[in-house]
Amino acid sequence: MAFIHETGSGPDHHAEEDENYFISMTDMMVGILFIFIIMLMVFALNFKQQTDVSVEQIERLEQARRQAEIVADKLDALKEEVRLELQQIDKSDQVRSALLQEIRTRLAAQGLDVEIDLANGVLRLTEDAVRFPTSSPILNDLASANVRKIALVLREVLPSFASCAVKEASCSRDPKATSVETVFIEGHTDVTGADEANWQLSTQRAVNTYRLMTEAQPLLRSLTNRAARQIVSVSGYSSTRPVIDEKNSVAYDTNRRIDLRFVMEVDDGKRLREVLELTNKMEGQLKNLRSAIDAADVQ
């Protein structure tokens, strides 16, 4: 279980324990290429201003042209890697949406209504499903019964989306198939009470929900991701993520809740899209470099 007392920058926040190797390597490559392009442009522009073109200068110009072609090839390869990664992320989002909809359908068949946020991968256990008294982490009888229903549905659905169902066993699931990295049981409070107490309270609500789920369905603790780590974990957010950002009894009841957040092995593509945008800009700079070299060549 991972206890998280922050809103999104912690080392254990939403499957970000380990740095994304692909993105870090991509950033490094982009940085190197960007600096290299700038150097070539400076060279080409300086060269263009010269009127006395020697054999040595012509050779330098030709070398610059060849280097520009190499940069162009590397950019194309980098952009293709990013496109493939984004395709995988899109596929991951589709799989997660199917998972959430399947869970909601099965819970509805048991008379339990929940909300889903497909964009953020969240299954929201409304106050009608799991309610907490004010300033209390205790699940009442109705909430406990509903948590057991949720645990049963997770037991039925999650193994098909997990990398491995039993850590010690050989997994027959395709290792390349899209799978769940983490399911965070997230505890929340309303805005009343001391903030320091609410951090502890929100985490305790998540912990109590986790304990009841895994006691009712012990297999949930055997579900692991590709790193052979347990999928089901917990986090607490105090009152920092309200569903209704108001100060009234309805908002308080709604915000004292449990969310289940599903994080896939391939996570958010925002950073990759930023890298792709940067490569597009670099491509424009490369075209300017080629134009400058060509102009210098004809003088």
Side-chain angles (χ1 to χ4, degrees):
M1 294 185 295
F3 299 88
I4 302 176
H5 287 183
E6 54 192 84
T7 60
S9 62
D12 205 19
H13 180 76
H14 292 172
E16 293 181 359
E17 297 171 333
D18 302 317
E19 182 179 4
N20 188 309
Y21 178 77
F22 175 83
I23 293 179
S24 63
M25 291 299 295
T26 300
D27 283 344
M28 183 176 67
M29 183 182 296
V30 168
I32 293 173
L33 292 179
F34 191 67
I35 293 172
F36 182 68
I37 287 174
I38 292 175
M39 293 175 62
L40 285 178
M41 287 194 68
V42 171
F43 165 77
L45 292 175
N46 289 338
F47 186 88
K48 183 180 179 180
Q49 295 173 356
Q50 299 178 10
T51 57
D52 185 15
V53 181
S54 66
V55 174
E56 180 182 356
Q57 289 173 324
I58 293 174
E59 177 60 26
R60 289 173 59 195
L61 179 61
E62 184 60 31
Q63 290 177 357
R65 192 199 307 276
R66 289 195 296 268
Q67 291 298 322
E69 293 297 332
I70 293 174
V71 172
D73 291 341
K74 290 183 177 180
L75 276 175
D76 288 341
L78 177 61
K79 291 178 68 174
E80 181 61 23
E81 286 184 30
V82 174
R83 289 193 186 97
L84 292 175
E85 190 72 10
L86 289 173
Q87 289 177 4
Q88 183 62 30
I89 290 171
D90 290 339
K91 180 182 177 181
S92 174
D93 287 343
Q94 294 172 5
V95 172
R96 185 173 65 181
S97 295
L99 167 61
L100 288 170
Q101 290 168 345
E102 175 68 15
I103 293 174
R104 180 176 62 177
T105 299
R106 294 197 181 208
L107 289 174
Q110 297 190 36
L112 192 58
D113 185 33
V114 297
E115 299 173 359
I116 59 175
D117 178 354
L118 296 179
N120 295 301
V122 173
L123 179 78
R124 178 153 295 128
L125 310 183
T126 62
E127 66 272 21
D128 294 330
V130 179
R131 181 188 296 271
F132 290 96
T134 303
S135 302
S136 173
I138 305 301
L139 293 159
N140 60 28
D141 291 343
L142 177 59
S144 296
N146 288 338
V147 168
R148 290 188 178 91
K149 291 179 182 179
I150 295 165
L152 176 60
V153 170
L154 292 178
R155 162 68 177 82
E156 294 171 345
V157 177
L158 267 184
S160 298
F161 294 86
S163 179
C164 190
V166 181
K167 186 185 300 186
E168 293 79 11
S170 298
C171 298
S172 58
R173 181 176 170 83
D174 182 358
K176 296 182 180 180
T178 301
S179 57
V180 174
E181 204 280 339
T182 307
V183 178
F184 284 99
I185 301 174
E186 299 181 339
H188 301 266
T189 71
D190 59 39
V191 296
T192 62
D195 187 60
E196 182 178 352
N198 281 340
W199 282 112
Q200 180 63 32
L201 179 59
S202 64
T203 303
Q204 193 59 52
R205 284 174 175 170
V207 169
N208 288 349
T209 304
Y210 171 90
R211 284 174 176 166
L212 183 54
M213 280 186 177
T214 54
E215 287 172 3
Q217 299 296 331
L219 180 68
L220 292 176
R221 296 196 63 177
S222 298
L223 300 176
T224 59
N225 56 27
R226 292 176 186 172
R229 297 174 179 173
Q230 289 187 30
I231 284 178
V232 183
S233 187
V234 302
S235 57
Y237 291 96
S238 184
S239 60
T240 61
R241 296 190 177 188
V243 177
I244 302 177
D245 197 6
E246 298 176 4
K247 294 183 179 180
N248 54 58
S249 60
V250 174
Y252 297 159
D253 286 345
T254 302
N255 293 332
R256 293 194 302 269
R257 72 191 192 278
I258 290 291
D259 287 345
L260 300 183
R261 187 179 301 272
F262 295 77
V263 180
M264 307 305 287
E265 290 286 356
V266 180
D267 210 346
D268 186 13
K270 179 180 178 181
R271 185 68 188 91
L272 286 176
R273 289 185 174 89
E274 291 175 353
V275 173
L276 185 59
E277 181 179 354
L278 179 58
T279 60
N280 288 331
K281 292 180 180 179
M282 289 173 60
E283 197 170 50
Q285 296 294 330
L286 183 60
K287 290 180 180 178
N288 293 337
L289 170 63
R290 286 171 171 168
S291 298
I293 293 176
D294 289 341
D297 194 24
V298 299
Q299 287 186 354

